[in-house]
Amino acid sequence: MKRIGFLSFGHWQPVPGSQTHTARDALMQTIELAEATEELGLDGAYVRVHHFARQLASPFPLLAAIAARTSRIEIGTAVIDMRYENPLYMAEDAAAADLISDGRLQLGVSRGSPEPALRGAEAFGYVPGESDGDLARAHTAIFRAAIAGTPVVEADPRMTGSTAPLAIQPQSPGLAERIWWGSGTRETARWTAEHGMNLMSSTLLSEDTGVPFDQLQAEQIAVFRSAWAEAGWSREPRVSISRSVLPIVTDLDRRYFGERAAQDGGDQVGYLEGVLARFGKSYIGEPDVLAQELSQDAAVQAADTLLLTVPNQLGVEYNTRLLETIAEHVAPAIGWQPSAAF
């Protein structure tokens, strides 16, 4: 059975039409939308992390607040740019948020996406080795070891009477199995499986073979699952993808998104950071049409979790109605059912 959650980029801007004028608006509305998501019987609340932009940047205080206001849904990131992270401090923050949520944290991490800052991670004190990807993977390895309880420093005998090795505290059991790598290619999907992380794939792949986006993404997922089996991991991996799904039910919906239906209704191919990339289409239209289209999306069928990117600047009320429409009229077509608790 599929899990469905929302993914918010947390934009804020004091412009006409926006319901999120300030950073506080973006934070509080994300919490409120998570509460509404749980009430609808959906399964998750996820946030994207960006730096040097008017978007959500520091996820753990926000995730902890969501955890304190909900009881069932998964909470997570899609994704944290690991170039910017102090891995040991992040291990403490992540464990604390996971304990508050009682084990509901799902952390998507990766190299991140193009950003407005030039060498932004260097401003945070981190300089890449051979590449930005190397830096992100190195930070991820340290972080994963820390949350798994690997000692990272010797005790000071003047304080403890011994030099016994010390691990980061607190520890949150099970968190190490709930780390996802944001993969943009088939090659990195294989690497993800080999390193025992779940797979998180978005509406952008940094490669193109000429086939439709959903088929290329489904191929990426197949490569991941095959490599996972070859690696011999004992647990079942998870796979998430994200989609922009915008049902048109009212005149307001049509004013917001009607013109985008033709423009964004197909894949786009272009260069991103010098690499040929394929962008997935947006699903915009009547709910019954969206249900049929998503049921034929090869990657939607292959994944166990679907994250719906929401237009967060339209506010909590609008996005709650959007999610409700999807839950009632679209999601059943892809094998989703509301939580048994609701």
Side-chain angles (χ1 to χ4, degrees):
M1 188 172 67
K2 302 288 184 188
R3 291 180 174 93
I4 294 181
F6 76 81
L7 170 59
S8 176
F9 282 48
H11 295 278
W12 77 86
Q13 192 79 4
V15 296
S18 172
Q19 301 298 314
T20 54
H21 288 191
T22 67
R24 174 177 167 78
D25 290 340
L27 291 164
M28 297 306 297
Q29 289 178 20
T30 304
I31 297 169
E32 292 166 8
L33 185 59
E35 291 181 288
T37 295
E38 184 162 274
E39 291 174 2
L40 290 171
L42 291 168
D43 307 297
Y46 287 72
V47 296
R48 184 69 168 88
V49 178
H50 283 278
H51 300 285
F52 300 107
R54 292 184 178 185
Q55 296 176 242
L56 299 174
S58 51
F60 293 108
L62 175 58
L63 294 174
I66 293 173
R69 296 266 287 265
T70 59
S71 61
R72 179 187 55 80
I73 58 171
E74 296 179 337
I75 59 175
T77 55
V79 293
I80 294 174
D81 187 335
M82 291 300 290
R83 294 174 298 169
Y84 284 83
E85 295 299 319
N86 178 315
L88 300 186
Y89 194 13
M90 178 178 168
E92 294 176 340
D93 279 349
D98 193 44
L99 290 168
I100 292 170
S101 75
D102 195 20
R104 292 183 282 134
L105 187 62
Q106 305 285 340
L107 278 183
V109 302
S110 191
R111 143 63 174 96
S113 61
E115 56 180 349
L118 180 64
R119 299 192 300 273
E122 293 183 28
F124 276 48
Y126 306 115
V127 179
E130 294 182 6
S131 70
D132 285 344
D134 292 334
L135 178 63
R137 293 185 187 201
H139 281 187
T140 300
I142 297 170
F143 165 73
R144 293 183 68 206
I147 62 173
T150 301
V152 297
V153 67
E154 289 186 352
D156 185 342
R158 296 171 299 178
M159 298 293 293
T160 66
S162 76
T163 58
L166 300 177
I168 286 293
Q169 297 296 341
Q171 290 284 309
S172 186
L175 177 58
E177 296 185 352
R178 287 180 269 116
I179 307 302
W180 310 56
W181 183 262
S183 171
T185 66
R186 291 163 295 174
E187 179 184 353
T188 55
R190 179 178 296 278
W191 177 88
T192 301
E194 291 169 348
H195 285 78
M197 288 182 283
N198 300 306
L199 179 68
M200 186 169 276
S201 189
S202 70
T203 53
L204 164 66
L205 294 175
S206 50
E207 62 179 346
D208 180 52
T209 63
V211 303
F213 177 86
D214 69 310
Q215 294 180 24
L216 180 59
Q217 194 172 45
E219 184 179 342
Q220 179 197 38
I221 294 170
V223 167
F224 168 78
R225 293 194 186 282
S226 176
W228 186 278
E230 291 173 8
W233 301 110
S234 60
R235 64 184 174 87
E236 186 70 19
R238 290 185 59 186
V239 175
S240 78
I241 62 170
S242 63
R243 291 290 185 269
S244 178
V245 180
L246 301 167
I248 294 184
V249 178
T250 68
D251 289 340
L252 182 61
D253 300 331
R254 194 165 289 105
R255 286 200 300 272
Y256 280 142
F257 304 114
E259 293 184 2
R260 283 183 50 188
Q263 178 182 344
D264 298 345
D267 293 354
Q268 299 179 45
V269 178
Y271 283 91
L272 184 67
E273 295 187 326
V275 176
L276 188 64
R278 180 170 285 267
F279 302 79
K281 68 178 183 179
S282 296
Y283 286 88
I284 306 172
E286 301 291 333
D288 59 336
V289 175
L290 298 184
Q292 181 178 11
E293 290 179 345
L294 283 169
S295 70
Q296 298 171 354
D297 185 306
V300 169
Q301 294 305 312
D304 62 77
T305 301
L306 173 62
L307 301 182
L308 303 168
T309 57
V310 294
N312 76 280
Q313 285 188 277
L314 297 183
V316 176
E317 182 178 351
Y318 184 88
N319 281 293
T320 298
R321 185 176 60 79
L322 180 151
L323 293 174
E324 184 176 21
T325 299
I326 293 172
E328 291 184 2
H329 303 291
V330 179
I334 63 170
W336 176 84
Q337 296 178 9
S339 167
F342 289 83

